[in-house]
Amino acid sequence: MPNIENNITAVQRRLQQAARDAGRNPEDILLLAVSKTRSSAQVSLAQSAGIQSFGENYLQEASDKITQLGGQGLDWHFIGPLQSNKTRQVAEQFAWVHTVDRLKIAQRLSAQRPVTMPALNICLQINIDNEESKSGFSPEQALSMAATIAQLPNLRLRGLMAIPRPRANIVEQQQPFAQLAALQKEINSTLDNCEKLDTLSMGMSADLEAAIAEGATIIRVGTDIFGPRS
Ligand SMILES: *Cc1c(COP(=O)(O)O)cnc(C)c1O
């Protein structure tokens, strides 16, 4: 059984060190614990160790956990592939969606977000390495889409998210993260009359240092908190 509390301490130290190395304030970086495939009991352990935000990929599994734990001040982030027939439940149950990859998904989330809830925070997923196997907007599409999506009611377009292909070392890992940060800057320079993007969701267990060096504001960490997934 991995020791979740020790693991969280170790990841927080890595976050802080990487922030210091980059001349950044560690408090500007959210550690999102990716709890897909983990039990409610494991989520509770992570919460006891100071984690408030959890990332989930599979809606049914997530809904069960949210029902069990939701009333305890946790923030739930949807970070999995999102089909249009699942948007309603996501709009009703989550604080964030990191994986908006089509205009239609954004429109549905906007229409289905209960007006009694705060705006749903969203990130556009960018297929930064142009991989066949990954979803996401191309950087060119994102530039033209952002202005449209930023106008949708009940949503707040917060930033960009990417899952780059694995690379061998930190120098190579930094490259796609730098591209994502540059794209965000470019989008911000084109956005008038709406709030600028302030979120870069990038970096996982294996590349969080590289992501923080390039400006990540949310790192998504599963394995290094909860242990290997079976
Ligand atoms: C599973 C997952 C993670 C966590 O990956 P680890 O390598 O276990 O840290 C992060 N982001 C997304 C989108 C994921 O699906």
Side-chain angles (χ1 to χ4, degrees):
M1 205 44 201
N3 185 325
I4 291 173
E5 192 179 344
N6 290 349
N7 290 351
I8 288 170
T9 303
V11 171
Q12 280 166 339
R13 290 218 178 97
R14 285 170 65 193
L15 184 162
Q16 285 157 8
Q17 184 63 50
R20 271 197 296 277
D21 290 348
R24 300 184 53 202
N25 183 348
E27 291 181 3
D28 293 339
I29 303 160
L30 173 71
L31 173 55
L32 180 69
V34 176
S35 47
K36 64 176 174 226
T37 78
R38 318 296 180 171
S39 66
S40 296
Q42 287 173 296
V43 171
S44 287
L45 283 174
Q47 184 187 13
S48 305
I51 300 284
Q52 190 189 338
S53 301
F54 292 88
E56 290 281 341
N57 296 57
Y58 311 110
L59 183 59
Q60 190 52 56
E61 181 199 327
S63 287
D64 293 344
K65 278 178 246 183
I66 294 169
T67 305
Q68 287 177 37
L69 303 166
Q72 303 179 20
L74 301 180
D75 288 325
W76 295 95
H77 295 228
F78 192 81
I79 63 168
L82 184 47
Q83 295 155 359
S84 51
N85 63 349
K86 303 279 173 64
T87 51
R88 180 177 298 280
Q89 258 182 295
V90 169
E92 290 174 351
Q93 297 188 319
F94 285 81
W96 284 74
V97 177
H98 293 225
T99 42
V100 172
D101 60 355
R102 279 167 289 156
L103 177 58
K104 184 181 170 194
I105 293 289
Q107 288 168 329
R108 290 177 65 91
L109 289 170
S110 170
Q112 294 168 340
R113 179 69 166 178
V115 291
T116 52
M117 294 176 79
L120 178 65
N121 296 295
I122 63 164
C123 294
L124 305 185
Q125 183 174 356
I126 308 299
N127 190 350
I128 198 74
D129 288 320
N130 199 16
E131 292 174 279
E132 203 71 61
S133 63
K134 295 226 176 95
S135 48
F137 293 107
S138 70
E140 297 73 30
Q141 286 173 321
L143 259 175
S144 62
M145 253 323 122
T148 307
I149 291 176
Q151 299 301 330
L152 292 171
N154 310 318
L155 300 183
R156 177 148 174 232
L157 178 59
R158 296 295 299 268
L160 306 179
M161 176 273 204
I163 313 169
R165 65 175 167 76
R167 270 126 169 127
N169 58 62
I170 186 163
V171 174
E172 290 179 32
Q173 286 171 349
Q174 279 178 231
Q175 190 200 343
F177 295 139
Q179 283 175 253
L180 197 71
L183 177 61
Q184 169 127 300
K185 244 184 156 169
E186 199 179 345
I187 290 172
N188 274 339
S189 73
T190 69
L191 286 180
D192 310 311
N193 302 323
C194 52
E195 284 184 88
K196 305 286 184 193
L197 311 191
D198 62 5
T199 300
L200 285 169
S201 168
M202 58 188 196
M204 323 202 307
S205 295
D207 55 13
L208 67 90
E209 282 86 359
I212 289 171
E214 297 299 340
T217 63
I218 301 181
I219 57 172
R220 309 178 310 266
V221 180
T223 305
D224 285 0
I225 289 177
F226 295 106
R229 283 179 294 274
S230 46

